[in-house]
Amino acid sequence: MEFSSKKIRDLAVGDRVDCYFIIKRVDLKTTNSNDKKYLDFIFGDKTGEISGKLWEVPQDIETYFTEGDLVKVRGTVTSYMNNNQFKVDRIRKASEEDGVIPEDFVESAPLKNTDMLRDIEGYLQRIGDQDIQQVVQMALEEKKDKLMFYPAAKRNHHAIRSGLLYHVLTMLKLGDQISKVYPAVNTDLLFAGIILHDLEKINEMDSSELGIVKEYTLEGNLLGHISLGVKNVDRICDRLNTPEEKRMLLQHMILSHHYEPEYGSPVKPMFLEAELLHHIDMIDARVFDFTLAVRDLEPSSISENIFSLDRRRIYKPTF
């Protein structure tokens, strides 16, 4: 029986494949029907992700594989809920003799990280209020090195290498366009809020330089990026002697950008730019997740339930 080596985006149902993947996620689970254990994978390469199953997993490898492992996998592409799924026959960790490196198998933002950072710094320079600009500049400078590779999430929107940079930049571009339609928008506040709102995800999550998050940090679990962001702005404003109202406005934008208490925001937006920050954040996340949900679908078909989109099934039009 012949096996081929393909990228994830080129896989089709029925393909027999022998190729390399990065493990984005792996969980040991038990079947409902016969209580047998299996490994539930999310495999990735630069072209996308695919779920995979290793059924009736041997006990000696139940905990052998972890997120970030580069593996060689042999198996068959099947279909589940209109999405490709990989049935694993054999799997092993890649060795030095294989001559492959993890960086070649990691999905990254579609723009170069140095270019994205440069563009974000361009928006920073457009902030006219010197007090606000100095706060944002210090916060950005402190996180710059990790920003180059950090994702914006462990799963769901922008969970790719340099995803946090990409998320911030696309939000800035959208905010810039909105401000041209509505002259009442204070772009100093809007740009500042966009750059600051998710920066503390860098302390909330523990990411490898491949942009793969293995777990949340202790601070991330106990406090979350919103509380960490407010604390960080407070520390920087103390250092810079930032006027009290400007400090509170920046903190309020971070506090309110998730909008609802059940999503981590203790207050709702109380001024225009804070309101816009929330909606721009939601639009950017939704566009990413909708695009990802249908990327590998055939036209005129419907996805499986997408957790990040309220468990909706998403349709891919024919045009």
Side-chain angles (χ1 to χ4, degrees):
M1 188 174 293
E2 295 207 3
F3 291 84
S4 61
S5 179
K6 290 185 177 182
K7 299 295 184 184
I8 287 175
R9 70 180 169 201
D10 299 323
L11 294 176
V13 174
D15 283 346
R16 298 282 291 168
V17 181
D18 189 6
C19 56
Y20 296 94
F21 294 136
I22 279 281
I23 296 178
K24 301 290 292 291
R25 191 179 84 223
V26 56
D27 296 300
L28 181 65
K29 296 184 177 180
T30 304
T31 59
N32 293 326
S33 57
N34 55 15
D35 289 331
K36 289 190 175 182
K37 293 182 179 179
Y38 68 97
L39 287 176
D40 187 17
F41 293 98
I42 296 294
F43 295 122
D45 65 17
K46 279 197 170 184
T47 69
E49 296 181 350
I50 186 170
S51 65
K53 302 285 191 294
L54 176 62
W55 302 106
E56 299 184 15
V57 58
Q59 187 174 0
D60 61 334
I61 65 167
E62 286 181 356
T63 59
Y64 179 65
F65 298 102
T66 61
E67 288 89 348
D69 283 346
L70 179 57
V71 292
K72 190 173 187 184
V73 187
R74 174 178 285 191
T76 307
V77 181
T78 61
S79 180
Y80 178 74
M81 296 289 288
N82 291 321
N83 281 270
N84 288 350
Q85 188 175 92
F86 200 84
K87 180 180 177 293
V88 178
D89 295 328
R90 298 181 184 177
I91 182 171
R92 66 168 173 83
K93 291 184 182 180
S95 64
E96 189 173 334
E97 290 73 26
D98 291 319
V100 291
I101 58 175
E103 287 81 357
D104 291 337
F105 295 85
V106 174
E107 188 175 8
S108 300
L111 303 175
K112 192 175 179 181
N113 54 10
T114 52
D115 292 342
M116 290 190 289
L117 181 61
R118 180 201 62 215
D119 291 345
I120 290 170
E121 289 173 336
Y123 282 100
L124 170 63
Q125 295 308 312
R126 288 174 57 185
I127 297 176
D129 186 285
Q130 291 303 300
D131 295 318
I132 292 175
Q133 187 191 76
Q134 286 173 5
V135 173
V136 179
Q137 186 166 8
M138 183 173 290
L140 192 62
E141 186 65 31
E142 291 176 347
K143 300 288 194 299
K144 188 160 63 174
D145 290 344
K146 289 188 174 181
L147 259 177
M148 302 303 280
F149 61 84
Y150 245 76
K154 182 177 181 180
R155 299 175 188 173
N156 305 324
H157 83 84
H158 299 86
I160 55 178
R161 191 173 193 270
S162 305
L164 184 52
L165 268 178
Y166 185 56
H167 178 46
V168 170
L169 179 58
T170 50
M171 285 181 64
L172 285 167
K173 290 178 178 178
L174 180 55
D176 195 14
Q177 294 303 309
I178 288 174
S179 71
K180 294 174 182 177
V181 178
Y182 302 106
V185 176
N186 181 328
T187 54
D188 287 356
L189 283 173
L190 184 58
F191 292 169
I194 289 172
I195 294 172
L196 292 172
H197 82 289
D198 273 350
L199 268 186
E200 283 300 314
K201 285 190 172 183
I202 288 174
N203 286 323
E204 181 182 47
M205 303 180 296
D206 180 17
S207 173
S208 71
E209 291 195 17
L210 296 174
I212 297 174
V213 176
K214 290 191 174 183
E215 59 187 357
Y216 285 84
T217 65
L218 180 60
E219 284 183 306
N221 278 305
L222 294 179
L223 301 176
H225 72 278
I226 290 179
S227 296
L228 291 172
V230 172
K231 284 178 60 180
N232 194 48
V233 166
D234 208 37
R235 176 185 62 81
I236 292 173
C237 288
D238 280 344
R239 184 172 173 182
L240 295 175
N241 264 343
T242 307
E244 189 62 25
E245 184 191 17
K246 295 175 183 178
R247 177 199 305 243
M248 286 192 294
L249 291 174
L250 294 176
Q251 290 178 316
H252 178 79
M253 295 182 82
I254 295 171
L255 274 176
S256 63
H257 81 269
H258 279 187
Y259 209 80
E260 301 289 354
E262 56 265 38
Y263 297 126
S265 283
V267 293
K268 289 187 176 181
M270 294 179 65
F271 55 90
L272 175 61
E273 292 74 21
E275 180 79 10
L276 288 175
L277 171 62
H278 164 70
H279 292 292
I280 292 169
D281 190 23
M282 288 297 295
I283 288 170
D284 195 58
R286 287 288 191 261
V287 168
F288 188 94
D289 286 345
F290 267 90
T291 304
L292 184 62
V294 301
R295 182 174 61 184
D296 298 324
L297 290 183
E298 292 296 322
S300 190
S301 59
I302 300 177
S303 75
E304 62 182 354
N305 295 326
I306 307 299
F307 176 81
S308 62
L309 297 174
D310 305 318
R311 300 188 181 276
R312 284 174 284 174
R313 299 177 66 196
I314 307 304
Y315 178 70
K316 184 173 185 175
T318 55
F319 60 91

